[in-house]
Amino acid sequence: MDSPHKPRSFSPNLFFFILLVSSNLLTFFISNTFKNSSCSLYQQTYKAIATTSLNTAIPFVVEPEIRDDAVHVSDKPAADLDLPSEFLAFTSPQQLPFGVNPNFNSDKLIPPVGRPCTMFPDLLRRYMSYKINGSCPDDELLAQKLLLKGCEPLPRRRCRPAAQQEYVEPYPLPESLWTTPSDSSVVWTAYTCKSYECLINRKKNQKAFDDCKDCFDLNGREKTRWSSKKGAGLDFSIDEVLAVKKAGTIRIGLDIGGGVATFAVRMRERNITILTTSMNLNGPFNTFIASRGVVPLYISISQRLPFFDNTLDIVHSMHVLSNWIPTTLLHFLLFDIYRVLRPGGLFWLDHFFCVGEQFEQVYAPLIDSIGFNKVKWVIGRKMDRGPELNEMYLSALLEKPLKNSW
């Protein structure tokens, strides 16, 4: 006979409790397993990227940790940087009076100024503090300091610059080309010398270094520069260089770091227009250049050349382009020279100097990478500081190709 009581079934509550615990344990196990494997995968991927980067020209960059309290100048609105009001007035977008201009594709005009200007607010505040419609402070050294720190172009100002008390008109052309101008053509407060006579004699009277110490003596070395071929083939003459091209096709050009613009003067005597870049490094170079009757450009080697692509017939530079310039900056600069030269234009690299081993390892490959054709390429020893330094010169005449310039 069957028992009157059936066996009791498994409790549903206990079953669901065991199922819940089991699922949680399983989830925990799976989570930890995938977490470890993903971390391992990340590390392997990181190592692969880093290794690949070390074997290529593209550097692997790990972004630095940025703290919440870190504030960078570039992250701040200009109005929050405590910059001078005149700087903000100049650099703020200016509403165009007739609305949208299709050339700007905007109804506003934004005046250009060097971005690093805001990195030196104290210097900028001094430079931009003046009486509007009045006289500018006599602050040439301050302006040049800002410019050489990368504040280029400098902001415009609404004041009149310091001028000479009694100005004398310059000598007429062609007399001005080879005549020392009057002392009254210069505001001398920024310079050690206070007269041109002092500048002319500083090579023999002054032991301290100054840029282009003998340049102002127009009856000295300047009188014979580029007039004839001499030395160990490093000193090309202007006529020798011009003979490379068809007569009359070298018409306009640029001299980078041209001192007192004797190169431009010699070219003007041959009906060729040359603009000269020069800084006022303890001497009134730009004023002197203008007094001679040729055009100065007050820009540093860091600034993009202010010419359109494929426009100049010739670019020349003597001594300025050398190993004191950071290599990457020099690379950019040489490509900018290539840019402004027209096809068939000439780049005269005059007495580029460096240490011997640098030339083979760094500078010859760098120059080759630009894409010029070599017309002349002369290497010689630089002995003025002693042979033990193993310094050398390169004088080269390079031509931008007529075709396939890219």
Side-chain angles (χ1 to χ4, degrees):
M1 179 180 285
D2 293 331
S3 170
H5 300 286
K6 295 181 179 180
R8 296 185 63 181
S9 62
F10 192 80
S11 170
N13 291 335
L14 181 60
F15 171 78
F16 285 117
F17 174 77
I18 294 172
L19 181 62
L20 180 62
V21 170
S22 301
S23 63
N24 285 339
L25 288 171
L26 181 61
T27 303
F28 179 78
F29 173 76
I30 293 172
S31 173
N32 276 277
T33 301
F34 276 89
K35 181 179 179 181
N36 291 333
S37 61
S38 65
C39 180
S40 175
L41 178 63
Y42 171 78
Q43 291 175 346
Q44 292 172 6
T45 305
Y46 180 92
K47 289 177 181 177
I49 295 173
T51 303
T52 302
S53 301
L54 290 173
N55 294 327
T56 65
I58 304 173
F60 180 71
V61 179
V62 179
E63 292 293 337
E65 180 183 356
I66 300 176
R67 305 196 321 269
D68 291 338
D69 61 344
V71 178
H72 300 280
V73 169
S74 59
D75 297 333
K76 282 189 171 186
D80 295 340
L81 292 176
D82 192 25
L83 296 173
S85 58
E86 273 295 273
F87 179 79
L88 296 175
F90 172 67
T91 57
S92 299
Q94 306 291 319
Q95 195 75 35
L96 293 170
F98 300 108
V100 175
N101 185 309
N103 293 323
F104 297 106
N105 194 27
S106 173
D107 62 348
K108 298 179 180 65
L109 191 151
I110 302 176
V113 70
R115 177 183 175 275
C117 291
T118 59
M119 297 170 62
F120 306 98
D122 292 339
L123 293 177
L124 186 63
R125 190 174 298 107
R126 287 168 55 196
Y127 181 68
M128 295 302 289
S129 297
Y130 53 86
K131 182 180 178 182
I132 299 174
N133 295 333
S135 297
C136 299
D138 185 1
D139 56 2
E140 180 183 327
L141 288 177
L142 174 62
Q144 185 163 264
K145 184 180 292 186
L146 272 168
L147 190 149
L148 291 174
K149 287 181 177 293
C151 182
E152 189 175 35
L154 291 168
R156 284 175 171 162
R157 301 198 290 188
R158 294 186 285 185
C159 57
R160 301 176 188 88
Q164 305 82 341
Q165 291 294 324
E166 297 180 3
Y167 185 79
V168 175
E169 291 285 330
Y171 291 100
L173 285 167
E175 183 183 359
S176 65
L177 296 175
W178 292 102
T179 303
T180 302
S182 166
D183 289 343
S184 68
S185 63
V186 180
V187 177
W188 292 97
T189 51
Y191 315 116
T192 303
C193 279
K194 306 302 179 186
S195 69
Y196 278 123
E197 181 180 3
C198 172
L199 289 170
I200 292 169
N201 292 324
R202 67 180 180 177
K203 183 180 180 181
K204 56 185 178 182
N205 296 336
Q206 181 179 311
K207 294 183 179 180
F209 172 81
D210 266 311
D211 187 65
C212 204
K213 189 180 288 188
D214 60 347
C215 285
F216 292 93
D217 184 5
L218 296 183
N219 292 312
R221 281 206 306 168
E222 295 299 302
K223 199 71 174 178
T224 59
R225 285 193 194 275
W226 305 290
S227 59
S228 61
K229 184 176 176 63
K230 59 182 183 296
L234 290 164
D235 299 286
F236 306 160
S237 71
I238 286 178
D239 292 330
E240 175 188 2
V241 169
L242 295 180
V244 169
K245 308 299 290 186
K246 184 179 178 180
T249 59
I250 301 296
R251 306 150 301 150
I252 56 174
L254 174 70
D255 189 17
I256 298 174
V260 295
T262 294
F263 181 82
V265 167
R266 293 217 176 275
M267 294 293 258
R268 192 187 190 285
E269 292 171 337
R270 292 159 174 80
N271 296 318
I272 299 168
T273 301
I274 298 291
L275 279 66
T276 304
T277 75
S278 190
M279 302 301 296
N280 288 344
L281 299 176
N282 202 19
F285 287 89
N286 283 268
T287 306
F288 191 85
I289 292 169
S291 295
R292 298 184 77 179
V294 288
V295 182
L297 280 179
Y298 187 53
I299 61 173
S300 75
I301 60 164
S302 300
Q303 181 172 320
R304 185 178 192 265
L305 297 175
F307 306 100
F308 190 62
D309 303 358
N310 305 308
T311 52
L312 300 185
D313 299 316
I314 189 169
V315 174
H316 171 265
S317 184
M318 183 173 184
H319 292 316
V320 171
L321 302 189
S322 293
N323 65 348
W324 72 273
I325 301 175
T327 306
T328 300
L329 177 60
L330 180 62
H331 203 201
F332 274 105
L333 176 54
L334 292 177
F335 266 108
D336 206 26
I337 291 170
Y338 187 96
R339 176 186 65 82
V340 300
L341 281 171
R342 63 167 175 82
L346 298 176
F347 173 37
W348 182 353
L349 183 58
D350 197 349
H351 286 74
F352 177 98
F353 61 85
C354 62
V355 179
E357 53 269 23
Q358 289 180 322
F359 180 75
E360 296 294 339
Q361 297 172 11
V362 179
Y363 296 113
L366 186 147
I367 295 169
D368 285 340
S369 73
I370 308 302
F372 288 110
N373 297 325
K374 293 178 181 177
V375 180
K376 294 179 181 292
W377 185 271
V378 181
I379 301 167
R381 296 293 300 276
K382 181 178 183 292
M383 305 292 287
D384 58 317
R385 299 201 303 163
E388 65 278 2
L389 294 178
N390 191 30
E391 292 180 318
M392 56 165 294
Y393 280 126
L394 166 68
S395 284
L397 187 61
L398 308 171
E399 182 185 47
K400 183 172 178 176
L402 281 168
K403 297 181 180 179
N404 301 323
S405 296
W406 61 88

